[in-house]
Amino acid sequence: MEQPISGTNEAAELSLLIKSLRFERLLKEELENPPPSMMDSTVWGLCKDFTIGGGYFKIEAYIKTWDIKPVWVYNVDYLRTELEDDFKIHLYKALFMAPTARKPIGDRVNIYFAMEISKTEPEAPVEVRFLLESRRLIHTPGKSKFSEKWLTDITDTKDLFQRMMES
């Protein structure tokens, strides 16, 4: 289900993902022999086979490969589609939380995913990137090994900020 953008950080982070895909596309076009996709097309699929629901399930399957403790619960939502001349970029958000007895509604961490689908090359692999909220490093599945510390660093930062605001 398409979700409205709720905060300015989310909009900025999604914009960063889109710019990253655009930049990489331009870089590939300038190269004489573009490198093969950084991701295995058997994992993310080909552009011709992409569906929004299929993208959702691919993200869920990818998250299940991460080495994180089972205390982390998450939900994946489809946000929207950005249209480019020759591409569609589908945006998703995975909301992570680690509830405890003392804090049943724990700090939330958003991870944003972008899936780029070529309109002109149906046999091209789906390109996928993701980033964590309040971070600027864009990750590529298959090149970045996810670390649970990324989630805890964000929740620790939020806790520290909350304590500073209360004092």
Side-chain angles (χ1 to χ4, degrees), residues 71-128:
V71 298
W72 290 99
V73 294
Y74 65 91
N75 183 52
V76 177
D77 287 315
Y78 178 73
L79 296 174
R80 69 175 189 268
T81 301
E82 292 286 324
L83 299 174
E84 303 280 324
D85 290 339
D86 295 332
F87 298 87
K88 287 183 183 179
I89 299 173
H90 296 278
L91 302 169
Y92 297 81
K93 174 175 72 172
L95 173 65
F96 281 76
M97 199 170 35
T100 63
R102 288 182 46 154
K103 201 172 183 182
I105 307 288
D107 288 325
R108 296 174 174 102
V109 178
N110 293 304
I111 301 178
Y112 301 100
F113 287 84
M115 298 180 141
E116 183 181 73
I117 312 304
S118 173
K119 294 179 189 176
T120 59
E121 298 178 43
E123 297 296 325
V126 173
E127 296 289 335
V128 182

Side-chain angles (χ1 to χ4, degrees), residues 132-167:
L132 285 79
E133 72 172 88
S134 72
R135 304 298 192 254
R136 294 295 173 242
L137 182 60
I138 296 175
H139 301 277
T140 302
K143 292 203 91 165
S144 299
K145 183 174 178 355
F146 191 86
S147 172
E148 183 176 6
K149 185 167 178 7
W150 300 346
L151 296 172
T152 58
D153 284 351
I154 292 172
T155 58
D156 290 348
T157 301
K158 287 180 176 182
D159 283 342
L160 177 63
F161 184 73
Q162 183 66 34
R163 286 193 305 269
M164 286 172 40
M165 295 301 289
E166 291 171 353
S167 41

